[in-house]
Amino acid sequence: MSDYAAYHALGHDDNQTPYRQTPQNGYQGQVSPSQEQGYFPPQAQQTGDGTMSPLPTRTGKKKSRHAYHNLEQPAGSSQPFNGMPQGQTTPGHPYAGQQVTPAMNQFPAPATQTAFGGGTPTVPSGPGVSAGGRVDPEQIPSVPRSRDEPAQYYLQHVYNTMEQHLPPPSSVPFVGNDQGNSTPKYARLTLNNIPSSSDALNTIALPLGLILQPLAPIQPGEQPIPVLDFGEQGPPRCRRCRTYINPFMTFRSGGNKFVCNMCTFPNDVALEYFAPTDPSGVRVDRDQRPELKLGTVEFMVPKEYWAKEPVGLRWLFLIDVGQEAFNRGFLEAFCDGILNALYGDDITNNDQEAETSENAEETRSIPLGSKVGFITFDKEIHFYNCNAGLNQVQMLVMPDIDDPFVPLGSDGLFVDPYESRSTITSLLTQIPTLFSKIKHAEPALLPTLDTALAALSATGGKIVCSLSALPTWGPGKLFLRDDNKLHGIETEKKLFQTEHPGWKKTGAKMVESGIGVDFFIAAPGGIYMDVATIGHVAAISGGETFFYPNFVAPRDVLRLSKEVKHTVTRETGYQALMKVRCSNGLQVSAYHGNFLQHNFGADLEFGVIDADKAVGVMFSYDGKLDAKLDAHFQCALLYTTANGERRVRCTNTVASVSEISIESMKFVDQDAVTSMIAKEAATRMTERTLKELRGALTEKTIDILAGYRKSFSGSHPPGQLVLPENLKEFGMYMLGLLKCRAFKGSSFLLVLSAKSDHNYQHLLAGQEPSDRRTHVMRLLKSASPLEISLLLYPRIIPLHSLDTTTGFQDHNTGHLIIPPTIRASFSRVEEGGAYLIDDGQICILWLHARVSPHLLEDLFGPDHTTLNSLDPQLSSLPILETHLNCQVRNLLAYWSSIRGSKQLTVQLARQGLDGAEYEFARMLVEDRNNEAQSYVDWLVHVHRGIQLELTGQRKKEDNGDAGIIADNLRAMGW
């Protein structure tokens, strides 16, 4: 074999260990990527004592009632970026050893008198500016660095929720230790130190909001959420505001009364809940009461909280068997995905083997008590009886779709998937063959949904529906609405919502019945599918739309199978209501997400809610907060679990209050701010034009950074761009939001030419289809901060320069060694390089035209030494015993554990050969594309706006109110 220099000759030591050499000890200690437990042990174990620090003792004095008692963290970037030598760490920084951003003196602007209110500005030279006055891209804030350094820190440290003031970045896995304040997995405040008045908040121009992900999955090493049962009387609650008991309620009168932390109302303690208090006012049984120690708990609730009798979750699969579904391979792929979701990769074992297995209950993909049913549809609707007592499946056909009904009872339509394993396996295996000769091209979707609604109305449940053609048959038929003439004008916003009354009515009825829908929509060849109308039912019911805009059977089958399995196996609740309560002086002003709310102030209603869904809550002031007290927030989610238990999950969050706005800037959660702005902007897409929204996002960015510059860093020269320490990368995230498919302009891409390594080609790809815009709009509304962060700024790893230890377990720490990510820019692309890029939705393997044959051989096998020899429909890497192949598979498995709802498969993008190369170029968000500026030009533009604001010459565009304001509204609820 050739040496490493031949493998990749750019800037590497020839003596470095070649990738093609296998370590002498083989692959011992490596964990196969296919195994469920991942590639490294839990980061840290949360123990019952030692790490569980008690809450501060309530003494009754206001000065000691802060959630955070030590507010000595430095104000961060009160100096410009040249205020500290490169490599020096900030004292008291939450991430030990993290480097501050290097010097950056000024962003030049055109030398016009109107821009600066005076003569031609001078451009000082400095570490961030070249001799010609140009910005050095190396010196601007780096998103990859802001992620990589905290990730290394939290490999060895636990996040204690009452001891640390700033949560880790949302893209960083961490172990949270709940000390009474919920971990950031469940709730993220935009400001962890809240201004005491609306005037103080307006000074910093930041949104005051809370991102809630109440069913978020826990990290290995964390304690599970305790489930508490208070019997028929239910959990203790405040009689005035109905807040549930939590760690921040105080007890007095010897334990006979508890004072609500939201409204300060003193409540009598029920006799069965009474316990005396010690001299400091703390209950003597506090350590035995999880609801008084933990920020997130669940309560079993009595029958007065029931809408209907709780049962195990009913899953109803609606399978499109039309001509397009069969021809494109989508039908077979979806049936295989259901089998994989229910029974795993091995579907050959019969049901007797499953029942006699000692671990049968542990291997169930859905909880005990859950049942499944199957309906297929084209122009007709077909029902299937999969009862275990039958020798074969019974099929009933419903040709009348104008007034359909359910011909089977619940015992026939819904069965235990493990008791009826053989019949279900036989059915799903035979469906593609059964409909192979039936050529119905037009599916009737709305009548099928109405039938499913009737089947589930008595119990509630979850619908999983496939679709591969525009439903143009029967009641609720749709037609082609998307027209390029409508793009870019006032009426374009109508394309992002449904105007069909039948679909709106069905969606509302589903929520009322406790039913949610997940759609799997394939658009072969990019055909129009009216995602705005079809996806409305999923969005309003709390479900999700998985959209495949150019489905190709060999390439996308694995992704479809994984996402169907994820839908079925993730934690899911149904018949859900959500209520958010906050301290006196604050009120909820707006909600952003996918749900149904009949009127403002009413509870949020979800047909279903799962572990990947998040909701944004905005707050406004209805008074002034007391700086000597904390601000409290509680989210109560009433729902039925998949195994049929009615519960309330309470998520409690606390923040300190300050009269000085600069204190609030020290504790800004950048990811929460970005997520809140993204959710609000997505909500406005049906009200404002895209041009207005892009202008509003730009103005909001300038408002926030100018507010900091004007109020807290006035001592610096006007020519310096000064960014808050905790918002250094905020400008890049906002640029990524402007470039995402929901808001971007024309698809103007900068693609690297295959003929020359540094010759860029400008390609105009046309307007963005309304289906894609609508899909991303709804994704932003319901996505978690993790998913939004990756969408706005993808993570990239160069594979050709991996260290030999990367991708394997560190024998000292037990963790997988992860390489640093690089900036999302073509300037980082090297000749002969191979790169993995992942935005949380798709993962692309991009290969340079001059990539080394040895790299291809190590990655794909001995028969693949040229780009043309690779399979363009590749979706996963082959399992080879080569060093590089094992490294990359391990890294892919690690990435797959840090994503949202979309599952990771690999899509090949060979330079000059594959269409996915345009997608790769779109994901390089630091470059100039999508009718938007490069990162450097964007910062120059933002800095110019800040300078105009400082001189009083800035003219804002009229973009309406930034949020919904409800005056003096304090809604009460269950």
Side-chain angles (χ1 to χ4, degrees):
M1 290 296 176
S2 61
D3 58 11
Y4 186 75
Y7 188 78
H8 189 271
L10 290 179
H12 295 284
D13 186 356
D14 291 345
N15 296 324
Q16 185 172 351
T17 305
Y19 279 135
R20 297 184 57 82
Q21 293 180 359
T22 302
Q24 293 181 357
N25 59 350
Y27 292 94
Q28 296 179 1
Q30 299 171 20
V31 181
S32 171
S34 62
Q35 297 185 15
E36 296 292 338
Q37 65 265 30
Y39 292 90
F40 51 94
Q43 291 168 306
Q45 289 294 329
Q46 183 178 347
T47 58
D49 48 66
T51 59
M52 295 290 292
S53 301
L55 291 176
T57 301
R58 300 296 193 189
T59 62
K61 296 181 180 180
K62 289 185 176 182
K63 64 180 182 180
S64 64
R65 293 185 59 188
H66 277 292
Y68 307 112
H69 299 292
N70 298 317
L71 298 178
E72 292 102 10
Q73 183 174 349
S77 185
S78 59
Q79 298 182 357
F81 285 114
N82 62 341
M84 182 173 290
Q86 183 173 355
Q88 184 173 336
T89 58
T90 306
H93 199 280
Y95 311 125
Q98 183 173 1
Q99 295 180 349
V100 296
T101 306
M104 180 176 60
N105 283 355
Q106 174 171 331
F107 294 95
T112 58
Q113 294 184 0
T114 57
F116 296 92
T120 302
T122 60
V123 183
S125 61
V129 184
S130 66
R134 298 181 61 84
V135 177
D136 184 359
E138 297 292 337
Q139 306 301 326
I140 57 180
S142 168
V143 172
R145 185 189 302 135
S146 71
R147 292 171 174 173
D148 292 342
E149 292 172 355
Q152 293 300 315
Y153 176 83
Y154 281 105
L155 284 176
Q156 305 296 331
H157 297 81
V158 172
Y159 179 80
N160 296 310
T161 61
M162 290 295 292
E163 298 175 9
Q164 292 173 266
H165 304 158
L166 277 176
S170 58
S171 58
V172 172
F174 66 94
V175 171
N177 177 26
D178 189 341
Q179 297 175 317
N181 188 25
S182 291
T183 74
K185 291 181 174 65
Y186 304 112
R188 279 179 174 265
L189 278 168
T190 56
L191 298 171
N192 292 283
N193 181 289
I194 298 175
S196 60
S197 65
S198 59
D199 292 338
L201 181 65
N202 293 335
T203 300
I204 57 178
L206 285 165
L208 176 56
L210 181 66
I211 304 294
L212 294 164
Q213 192 179 352
L215 299 183
I218 64 174
Q219 181 85 4
E222 293 179 334
Q223 290 183 350
I225 305 301
V227 181
L228 311 175
D229 190 353
F230 286 86
E232 290 300 320
Q233 70 272 14
R237 303 179 65 180
C238 175
R239 289 193 293 114
R240 175 190 285 176
C241 69
R242 307 301 293 159
T243 298
Y244 290 84
I245 190 74
N246 62 74
F248 302 100
M249 288 187 172
T250 57
F251 291 82
R252 69 185 192 189
S253 301
N256 288 290
K257 290 185 178 291
F258 67 90
V259 180
C260 178
N261 60 315
M262 299 290 178
C263 66
T264 68
F265 181 76
N267 296 267
D268 293 330
V269 176
L271 182 62
E272 57 272 14
Y273 192 63
F274 173 78
T277 58
D278 61 20
S280 62
V282 177
R283 282 176 59 121
V284 296
D285 66 344
R286 180 180 174 277
D287 289 339
Q288 288 76 46
R289 292 284 186 181
E291 72 275 14
L292 300 180
K293 289 190 63 179
L294 302 178
T296 304
V297 296
E298 285 197 337
F299 300 107
M300 300 288 291
V301 293
K303 290 186 178 181
E304 63 187 87
Y305 292 80
W306 295 4
K308 56 187 68 173
E309 184 77 21
V311 297
L313 183 58
R314 276 24 179 181
W315 294 86
L316 186 54
F317 294 93
L318 309 183
I319 306 174
D320 177 10
V321 292
Q323 179 180 354
E324 194 68 30
F326 175 79
N327 292 344
R328 298 289 183 172
F330 188 66
L331 173 58
E332 182 177 2
F334 189 71
C335 290
D336 290 343
I338 297 174
L339 285 172
N340 182 40
L342 294 178
Y343 309 118
D345 296 330
D346 182 14
I347 60 174
T348 59
N349 295 333
N350 56 37
D351 52 340
Q352 286 85 6
E353 291 175 344
E355 291 175 6
T356 57
S357 172
E358 296 180 358
N359 298 323
E361 187 172 343
E362 296 180 3
T363 57
R364 293 178 64 101
S365 59
I366 60 176
L368 193 65
S370 297
K371 294 185 178 182
V372 299
F374 301 93
I375 294 176
T376 58
F377 67 97
D378 44 25
K379 285 186 175 181
E380 302 171 334
I381 306 174
H382 322 104
F383 301 84
Y384 299 90
N385 186 347
C386 297
N387 195 291
L390 300 175
N391 294 327
Q392 61 180 7
V393 179
Q394 293 180 346
M395 175 180 176
L396 291 84
V397 180
M398 176 71 63
D400 182 11
I401 60 174
D402 291 325
D403 188 19
F405 62 93
V406 183
L408 289 172
S410 59
D411 293 337
L413 183 59
F414 294 102
V415 297
D416 186 291
Y418 298 94
E419 293 178 358
S420 303
R421 179 169 179 168
S422 59
T423 55
I424 291 174
T425 301
S426 174
L427 170 66
L428 293 175
T429 304
Q430 295 177 17
I431 281 178
T433 304
L434 181 64
F435 292 93
S436 61
K437 297 180 181 180
I438 301 176
K439 304 297 184 182
H440 290 166
E442 300 174 293
L445 180 57
L446 186 59
T448 307
L449 290 174
D450 288 335
T451 304
L453 171 61
L456 290 168
S457 60
T459 61
K462 179 73 174 283
I463 297 172
V464 180
C465 178
S466 68
L467 184 68
S468 58
L470 187 67
T472 55
W473 186 263
K477 62 182 179 181
L478 303 177
F479 56 92
L480 181 64
R481 293 196 299 153
D482 196 1
D483 189 338
N484 286 335
K485 296 180 181 179
L486 299 176
H487 292 188
I489 60 176
E490 178 72 22
T491 55
E492 183 180 13
K493 59 190 177 186
K494 293 183 178 180
L495 299 176
F496 308 143
Q497 55 187 321
T498 180
E499 298 180 349
H500 197 294
W503 289 85
K504 290 182 177 181
K505 182 179 179 181
T506 297
K509 283 185 176 181
M510 285 191 173
V511 179
E512 182 182 350
S513 301
I515 303 169
V517 189
D518 279 356
F519 283 111
F520 289 81
I521 301 178
I527 61 175
Y528 177 69
M529 295 294 292
D530 200 353
V531 172
T533 298
I534 298 171
H536 169 79
V537 179
I540 199 174
S541 66
E544 185 170 4
T545 299
F546 295 84
F547 185 49
Y548 307 87
N550 187 23
F551 183 85
V552 178
R555 182 192 66 198
D556 297 325
V557 165
L558 178 61
R559 178 183 168 193
L560 174 63
S561 177
K562 284 186 173 183
E563 290 179 345
V564 172
K565 182 174 183 178
H566 180 71
T567 293
V568 173
T569 57
R570 65 186 171 187
E571 183 175 4
T572 302
Y574 68 106
Q575 296 179 29
L577 296 172
M578 179 185 287
K579 183 74 174 179
V580 178
R581 298 177 173 89
C582 53
S583 294
N584 285 340
L586 295 174
Q587 62 182 2
V588 176
S589 61
Y591 293 100
H592 302 295
N594 290 339
F595 49 78
L596 176 63
Q597 188 180 25
H598 289 289
N599 54 72
F600 188 78
D603 298 342
L604 307 187
E605 299 182 34
F606 303 83
V608 294
I609 186 169
D610 57 64
D612 296 316
K613 298 300 179 293
V615 174
V617 187
M618 293 285 290
F619 300 97
S620 61
Y621 291 82
D622 62 358
K624 186 175 182 180
L625 298 176
D626 189 344
K628 297 178 181 179
L629 302 176
D630 299 328
H632 297 272
F633 306 87
Q634 184 182 82
C635 166
L637 178 69
L638 174 66
Y639 73 107
T640 303
T641 64
N643 61 355
E645 293 181 348
R646 194 70 170 160
R647 301 179 183 175
V648 170
R649 175 167 291 195
C650 289
T651 303
N652 299 284
T653 309
V654 64
S656 53
V657 178
S658 176
E659 295 180 349
I660 307 174
S661 299
I662 185 62
E663 293 294 330
S664 300
M665 295 300 294
K666 298 177 184 178
F667 306 107
V668 179
D669 186 337
Q670 180 172 254
D671 287 342
V673 171
T674 303
S675 296
M676 187 62 68
I677 293 175
K679 290 179 183 296
E680 185 171 5
T683 303
R684 300 294 182 194
M685 280 186 64
T686 58
E687 305 169 6
R688 298 301 183 99
T689 66
L690 294 177
K691 183 178 179 181
E692 289 174 337
L693 287 173
R694 289 192 292 267
L697 290 172
T698 302
E699 295 297 323
K700 186 64 176 177
T701 306
I702 296 173
D703 285 341
I704 292 173
L705 298 180
Y708 177 79
R709 185 70 172 89
K710 184 190 304 182
S711 302
F712 312 120
S713 60
S715 60
H716 301 289
Q720 291 180 327
L721 176 62
V722 185
L723 302 178
E725 174 66 26
N726 297 319
L727 291 174
K728 292 198 302 291
E729 299 79 26
F730 174 69
M732 182 62 248
Y733 281 118
M734 295 303 291
L735 178 61
L737 185 60
L738 290 171
K739 292 185 176 185
C740 79
R741 280 199 159 95
F743 305 107
K744 74 184 187 69
S746 300
S747 300
F748 187 77
L749 301 178
L750 188 67
V751 180
L752 188 63
S753 172
K755 298 180 181 180
S756 176
D757 299 311
H758 299 289
N759 181 24
Y760 300 119
Q761 295 178 337
H762 296 277
L763 299 175
L764 185 62
Q767 293 287 341
E768 192 69 30
S770 64
D771 275 350
R772 287 200 168 191
R773 287 198 191 274
T774 307
H775 174 64
V776 177
M777 174 193 75
R778 292 192 175 128
L779 170 68
L780 290 172
K781 290 172 66 176
S782 66
S784 65
L786 163 64
E787 199 162 5
I788 291 178
S789 176
L790 292 178
L791 179 67
L792 302 188
Y793 197 98
R795 49 192 175 188
I796 309 177
I797 290 179
L799 302 181
H800 54 277
S801 57
L802 291 178
D803 187 79
T804 54
T805 60
T806 297
F808 296 115
Q809 188 182 56
D810 187 326
H811 296 294
N812 296 324
T813 64
H815 303 300
L816 195 73
I817 301 175
I818 306 299
T821 53
I822 64 172
R823 287 179 178 271
S825 172
F826 264 127
S827 62
R828 305 296 168 146
V829 174
E830 297 180 356
E831 179 184 0
Y835 297 86
L836 274 178
I837 181 169
D838 174 35
D839 68 350
Q841 308 299 307
I842 61 172
C843 180
I844 291 178
L845 173 57
W846 186 84
L847 299 171
H848 192 276
R850 301 179 187 176
V851 66
S852 167
H854 301 302
L855 184 147
L856 296 178
E857 187 176 351
D858 283 351
L859 206 52
F860 300 103
D863 297 329
H864 304 284
T865 57
T866 65
L867 293 182
N868 289 324
S869 66
L870 301 179
D871 182 7
Q873 308 303 332
L874 178 81
S875 61
S876 63
L877 293 181
I879 300 177
L880 306 175
E881 291 192 2
T882 62
H883 198 77
L884 179 62
N885 179 273
C886 198
Q887 283 179 300
V888 177
R889 285 189 290 111
N890 285 354
L891 293 173
L892 287 172
Y894 172 77
W895 271 4
S896 67
S897 67
I898 314 173
R899 284 169 73 91
S901 60
K902 309 305 185 294
Q903 299 302 289
L904 187 145
T905 57
V906 176
Q907 184 172 350
L908 202 60
R910 300 167 295 174
Q911 187 184 18
L913 296 176
D914 296 316
E917 188 177 4
Y918 300 111
E919 191 71 15
F920 173 74
R922 185 192 64 82
M923 294 162 72
L924 299 179
V925 291
E926 290 199 16
D927 294 330
R928 179 173 176 260
N929 50 31
N930 294 337
E931 211 178 62
Q933 299 160 306
S934 68
Y935 186 18
V936 171
D937 293 339
W938 165 251
L939 287 181
V940 171
H941 175 71
V942 169
H943 187 218
R944 185 181 300 117
I946 294 173
Q947 290 177 316
L948 291 174
E949 179 70 21
L950 294 177
T951 58
Q953 301 179 49
R954 177 175 167 226
K955 295 181 180 180
K956 296 184 180 180
E957 299 180 11
D958 183 14
N959 289 303
D961 296 333
I964 303 173
I965 302 300
D967 295 332
N968 302 318
L969 180 61
R970 290 289 302 228
M972 311 298 289
W974 49 267

